[in-house]
Amino acid sequence: MKKKFFQVMLFALFVIIKPVKGQNDSVVTKADNIQFKLGTYYNSNLHYYGRTDSLRSSAVFPVAEIWAKEHFYINAAPVFVNNAVSSFEYAGSVVTAGYFFRNSKWAGNTFFTIPVYRESSQLVQSALKWQAASSFSRLSKWLNLSMGADIKYSDKMDYGATAAIDHLYRKQVGGNSVLVINPTVTMNMGTQHFTQTSYKQTGILNLPGSQQTVTEDVNRFVVLSYEMTAPVIFAKGKFQLIVIPAYVVPQSLVVVPNRPDLSERGRNMFNITAGLKIVL
């Protein structure tokens, strides 16, 4: 069960960075083929589709981005964790390379991520070796529809999918300032790997038999969570202020009877991400 939590912080990082990147392309005019961006973010409650460990960790992570020809990008983010046992402890870094596009009708993002952790890191996500993902959106004046899929590899291969709807509100504020608000509802789906134990009564005809314990590995594709977010970005010149409130409702939690240590811990939760970015 702990392997489920190995992706907690990485998933939170992806959820934060991807919408920020997409919205930045709406509020920033790029003139050069190569562009650099620097930002620092704080997340109040790290989770994996609403699943958490007992530490209730928050995180601070600076992000450095390089964009080429407005579409190709590479970013790197060291992650510093705060919880009941650690204070601003460096846990590792996440490096991502991808391709983003947007026109009047379509938008898309495809990326490949490799996490690199300290050997002594106690984070439960450190088994994750890589992730590849792709998403596409059909844009319209009233409602945007998005679909995505991903592959995550640790000691096993996991497959995921997302479906989302959102409405983008964009308003010019003054001469060189823009306000963007993007309320979004997302359904997250994916595979679950866990061990299930049951009991089987054996016997011949009506003769009494014995009870045997049967243990089997289960692999299923289910809805993992519903999530509501409302990213807010205020851009003025080269600076961007980003605030992303989010509310997540976990689904399909794995519960092992009488074994809370092997069960998934999850609940409806609110978290907020805030950050400041500069376009160099």
Side-chain angles (χ1 to χ4, degrees):
M1 188 60 58
K2 287 187 177 181
K3 292 176 183 176
K4 280 291 176 184
F5 296 125
F6 273 95
Q7 302 158 14
V8 171
M9 288 178 51
L10 183 60
F11 174 79
L13 190 60
F14 290 154
V15 168
I16 293 161
I17 292 176
K18 283 194 294 183
V20 169
K21 269 204 303 274
Q23 298 307 322
N24 287 344
D25 290 311
S26 301
V27 299
V28 177
T29 300
K30 305 182 184 70
D32 302 322
N33 287 334
I34 302 295
Q35 190 172 64
F36 300 92
K37 304 178 184 181
L38 296 175
T40 300
Y41 303 91
Y42 166 78
N43 181 267
S44 63
N45 194 355
L46 297 176
H47 68 91
Y48 178 70
Y49 301 122
R51 293 145 172 84
T52 64
D53 55 24
S54 60
L55 296 178
R56 302 281 299 275
S57 299
S58 62
V60 175
F61 45 94
V63 180
E65 304 177 44
I66 301 175
W67 286 76
K69 297 183 178 181
E70 303 184 3
H71 298 295
F72 298 94
Y73 63 87
I74 298 175
N75 63 48
V79 181
F80 300 90
V81 180
N82 290 286
N83 53 44
V85 298
S86 301
S87 179
F88 203 72
E89 180 181 88
Y90 172 70
S93 299
V94 180
V95 179
T96 301
Y99 175 83
F100 174 84
F101 77 90
R102 184 186 181 96
N103 55 42
S104 60
K105 293 184 178 181
W106 295 94
N109 186 28
T110 299
F111 66 88
F112 183 81
T113 295
I114 298 178
V116 181
Y117 297 99
R118 293 175 56 191
E119 188 173 330
S120 60
S121 174
Q122 297 182 4
L123 286 178
V124 287
Q125 73 172 55
S126 59
L128 186 64
K129 294 178 175 61
W130 56 263
Q131 179 183 25
S134 187
S135 63
F136 295 91
S137 301
R138 181 64 171 92
L139 309 178
S140 69
K141 181 179 180 181
W142 303 109
L143 202 63
N144 302 322
L145 304 177
S146 302
M147 296 290 292
D150 68 82
I151 301 173
K152 293 182 284 286
Y153 177 73
S154 51
D155 58 339
K156 295 180 180 179
M157 199 76 77
D158 275 300
Y159 303 92
T162 60
I165 57 174
D166 71 275
H167 174 73
L168 182 67
Y169 172 82
R170 185 179 188 276
K171 182 176 178 59
Q172 197 77 26
V173 183
N176 66 340
S177 301
V178 176
L179 177 66
V180 172
I181 304 175
N182 189 209
T184 304
V185 177
T186 304
M187 178 174 65
N188 298 299
M189 297 158 282
T191 53
Q192 285 183 324
H193 298 276
F194 60 95
T195 300
Q196 179 174 276
T197 300
S198 58
Y199 298 95
K200 182 179 179 181
Q201 191 74 27
T202 62
I204 301 176
L205 298 177
N206 293 324
L207 298 177
S210 62
Q211 192 178 65
Q212 294 183 347
T213 301
V214 179
T215 301
E216 58 181 347
D217 292 328
V218 179
N219 182 11
R220 63 184 185 181
F221 190 88
V222 295
V223 175
L224 297 175
S225 72
Y226 299 101
E227 190 162 8
M228 291 148 281
T229 62
V232 178
I233 300 177
F234 177 76
K236 182 177 178 61
K238 295 184 177 182
F239 292 91
Q240 300 170 26
L241 177 64
I242 302 158
V243 179
I244 309 175
Y247 187 77
V248 60
V249 180
Q251 302 291 307
S252 307
L253 294 173
V254 176
V255 178
V256 180
N258 302 317
R259 291 299 304 271
D261 57 318
L262 297 179
S263 301
E264 289 185 325
R265 181 194 303 268
R267 60 183 178 82
N268 299 356
M269 70 175 70
F270 173 83
N271 70 91
I272 190 167
T273 302
L276 181 66
K277 176 180 286 191
I278 180 172
V279 181
L280 303 177

